[in-house]
Amino acid sequence: MGYEFLSSVLKTIRRGIELGGFPEELYDRLSKPERILHVTIPVKMDNGKTMFFEGYRVQHSSALGPYKGGIRFHEEVDVYTDVALATLMTIKNSLAGIPYGGGKGAVKVNPKRLSQSELERLSRGYIRAIAPLIGEKTDIPAPDVGTTPQIMAWMVDEYIKIKGVNEAGVITAKPVELWGNPVRNYSTGYGCYVCAREIAKEIFGGLKGLRISVQGFGNVGMYAAYYCAKDGAKIVAASDSSGTVYDPEGLNIDKLMKIKNETGKVINYEGAKIIEDTKAPLYVDADIQIPCALENQITMENVKKVTGKAIVEGANGPTTPEAEEYLTKKGVIVVPDFLANAGGVIMSYLEWVENLQWYIWGEEETKEKLEKIMVSNFHRVYNKYKELKDKKPNISMRDVAMIVALERIYNTMKIRGWL
Ligand code: NAD
């Protein structure tokens, strides 16, 4: 499974290298990580027995700065998955314009099967195992699937004990009580909103009165919808794994968030039509659709039912390459995941800058900085997209984003004398 994932990541990079006219040696460099650390973590379980967990830290590229990428706790990860994820981080961080290379860590475990104390021992054990390779100026982990701010707190605490130095910036997305920043909780959704707003300005003249639908009303989807609604858009549909709520006149976003947070299900919202299909937000009449649930939601099987003029990818990989080709030919613009959902990693960068200086910005000031970086990244890609589209009508925004990301890596590698 991980091997197929890695092959498809490498195919995307290969396409970017060809479209952008970069030399083969750039592909050769990016198709292999700089370093892979493979570790075994012994954990004393609550029943007194010791179990051994397999883990990795992949350092893919340091061309642009310290390695940066999350730690995944999942029972199906393998080293190929981790290399693929680390490679994607190199591309994402380059596009985000932040001074980071790409890395990713993983432990093969289902965290839901562990007690809190077992989880704490595993988290601390993993950091002890990778401590020789990480540091606030070398490699900076963060959460990913299966890991949380609490886990980050245990990890940074363990690292500080090992080093005997308060290196707060070694891990990001920490709790607010431990050198974290309150914007982190909604930064990815906020970044999606910024992309939706900017694409709306380009296509429709602005967000005001536009119909927006959101598939996956979780952390990312909820805040993307909230900020779009506060800016005058109508959220006509929202779904989670329980089903879809639909109101062509617009849902009350504050009420919907309250219901979701209190009951865990959007279908408990009263006064709107309930649709069983969790993909319905992609099919109802809307101007912009924001998929924020899972990968592979828009495929050749359902792409003809998708109604929006623009898709802003909050989730990772919601549109398959074939479906995207179909949409591009139809004139629909897909704002790609590694641009639209970069708010989280950009916020990590801001937290890291705060930690390095031992200086704390207020919530509004942090949000302004995040906003500025997202807007500038969006337009860097969109302007180049407009320019290239005249020459290559079937080029997508994803193709262009990949070219922009590769260009920065290529120029830096060249100036460093690596190529
Ligand atoms: P989350 O668990 O908070 O929310 C996911 C939501 O999707 C839940 O409400 C769930 O009920 C719903 N869902 C699950 N299956 C569904 C389906 N088939 N149809 C409709 N809804 C469904 O997760 P999240 O943090 O919001 O992440 C969502 C996506 O965004 C993932 O692809 C993740 O990798 C990506 N992402 C998240 C962040 C972040 O900072 N949280 C950053 C970058 C990318």
Side-chain angles (χ1 to χ4, degrees):
M1 218 176 90
Y3 189 76
E4 276 166 29
F5 179 29
L6 177 57
S7 307
S8 85
V9 168
L10 294 182
K11 258 187 225 154
T12 329
I13 292 181
R14 156 82 58 205
R15 184 175 154 84
I17 298 261
E18 283 167 10
L19 278 169
F22 299 104
E24 187 63 21
E25 57 181 344
L26 180 63
Y27 179 79
D28 292 343
R29 175 71 270 192
L30 292 177
S31 59
K32 294 168 201 75
E34 288 174 11
R35 190 181 287 120
I36 300 177
L37 176 67
H38 188 167
V39 298
T40 305
I41 310 139
V43 177
K44 182 74 71 106
M45 306 303 278
D46 292 347
N47 64 8
K49 292 205 173 116
T50 300
M51 278 184 74
F52 297 88
F53 294 90
E54 189 177 340
Y56 321 92
R57 182 73 189 169
V58 174
Q59 298 184 330
H60 176 260
S61 174
S62 58
L64 299 177
Y67 306 101
K68 178 90 189 95
I71 297 166
R72 180 170 289 197
F73 279 6
H74 196 280
E75 57 193 344
E76 277 166 25
V77 288
D78 57 20
V79 70
Y80 296 111
T81 319
D82 209 23
V83 172
L85 292 168
T87 310
L88 286 175
M89 286 310 296
T90 297
I91 302 293
K92 188 169 180 169
N93 293 337
S94 172
L95 184 69
I98 49 183
Y100 289 143
K104 201 84 178 191
V107 177
K108 218 173 160 58
V109 62
N110 179 348
K112 290 193 182 132
R113 294 231 176 97
L114 303 188
S115 68
Q116 277 298 98
S117 54
E118 289 167 344
L119 195 57
E120 178 174 350
R121 288 194 288 276
L122 174 65
S123 306
R124 289 182 185 276
Y126 176 70
I127 281 301
R128 281 197 300 276
I130 69 164
L133 287 196
I134 63 169
E136 64 182 7
K137 291 188 183 144
T138 46
D139 185 352
I140 306 145
D144 188 67
V145 174
T147 49
T148 59
Q150 171 62 73
I151 291 179
M152 297 305 112
W154 291 325
M155 287 182 170
V156 77
D157 180 68
E158 190 65 24
Y159 187 80
I160 285 170
K161 282 180 182 154
I162 295 166
K163 290 277 162 172
V165 178
N166 275 296
E167 264 194 46
V170 67
I171 282 172
T172 58
K174 299 178 292 294
V176 175
E177 297 83 349
L178 193 65
W179 313 311
N181 187 301
V183 177
R184 180 63 185 94
N185 185 38
Y186 56 83
S187 54
T188 306
Y190 187 82
C192 278
Y193 144 72
V194 171
C195 286
R197 185 190 70 202
E198 296 306 305
I199 197 73
K201 278 188 205 157
E202 298 292 339
I203 308 180
F204 304 100
L207 264 184
K208 207 163 172 45
L210 281 197
R211 296 160 308 165
I212 293 195
S213 59
V214 177
Q215 187 212 13
F217 200 73
N219 177 271
V220 179
M222 183 184 291
Y223 288 109
Y226 174 81
Y227 285 105
C228 285
K230 294 291 160 201
D231 216 355
K234 276 198 282 192
I235 307 302
V236 292
S239 72
D240 60 14
S241 44
S242 71
T244 298
V245 273
Y246 173 56
D247 184 346
E249 296 309 315
L251 300 157
N252 177 326
I253 190 70
D254 295 315
K255 192 170 127 191
L256 184 62
M257 279 173 82
K258 192 164 181 279
I259 294 286
K260 173 71 180 173
N261 288 332
E262 280 175 10
T263 72
K265 292 179 182 175
V266 292
I267 55 167
N268 290 329
Y269 180 96
E270 283 169 12
K273 187 174 171 192
I274 306 294
I275 306 172
E276 212 176 295
D277 188 352
T278 60
K279 285 187 184 167
L282 303 172
Y283 312 146
V284 301
D285 258 346
D287 304 299
I288 297 181
Q289 278 146 341
I290 317 187
C292 297
L294 302 166
E295 61 283 356
N296 296 337
Q297 296 302 295
I298 305 177
T299 66
M300 281 317 280
E301 268 161 37
N302 66 354
V303 67
K304 288 192 179 146
K305 294 203 270 174
V306 171
T307 54
K309 279 237 168 349
I311 312 285
V312 178
E313 293 187 332
N316 281 317
T319 319
T320 65
E322 300 75 27
E324 183 166 8
E325 205 181 323
Y326 176 91
L327 291 168
T328 304
K329 282 188 184 147
K330 212 177 119 190
V332 176
I333 297 181
V334 179
V335 184
D337 47 7
F338 63 115
L339 173 62
N341 71 25
V345 76
I346 293 169
M347 183 55 235
S348 270
Y349 161 66
L350 295 171
E351 180 185 325
W352 176 74
V353 174
E354 283 183 301
N355 293 161
L356 289 181
Q357 304 173 89
W358 290 100
Y359 186 83
I360 296 170
W361 295 312
E363 187 168 349
E364 281 313 307
E365 193 179 349
T366 312
K367 206 155 85 182
E368 271 169 34
K369 290 183 197 302
L370 170 64
E371 152 100 25
K372 214 165 148 189
I373 299 176
M374 284 299 303
V375 170
S376 139
N377 290 348
F378 177 89
H379 288 286
R380 206 151 29 96
V381 176
Y382 191 76
N383 292 344
K384 193 161 179 117
Y385 167 72
K386 275 199 302 199
E387 178 195 316
L388 290 178
K389 197 150 175 58
D390 291 337
K391 295 179 213 145
K392 298 180 182 175
N394 282 336
I395 202 158
S396 65
M397 229 175 133
R398 186 184 315 277
D399 291 332
V400 177
M402 179 59 85
I403 294 171
V404 171
L406 289 174
E407 209 161 46
R408 180 170 172 228
I409 299 169
Y410 177 60
N411 290 339
T412 307
M413 283 186 175
K414 245 187 11 187
I415 212 145
R416 289 184 79 152
W418 289 16
L419 293 176

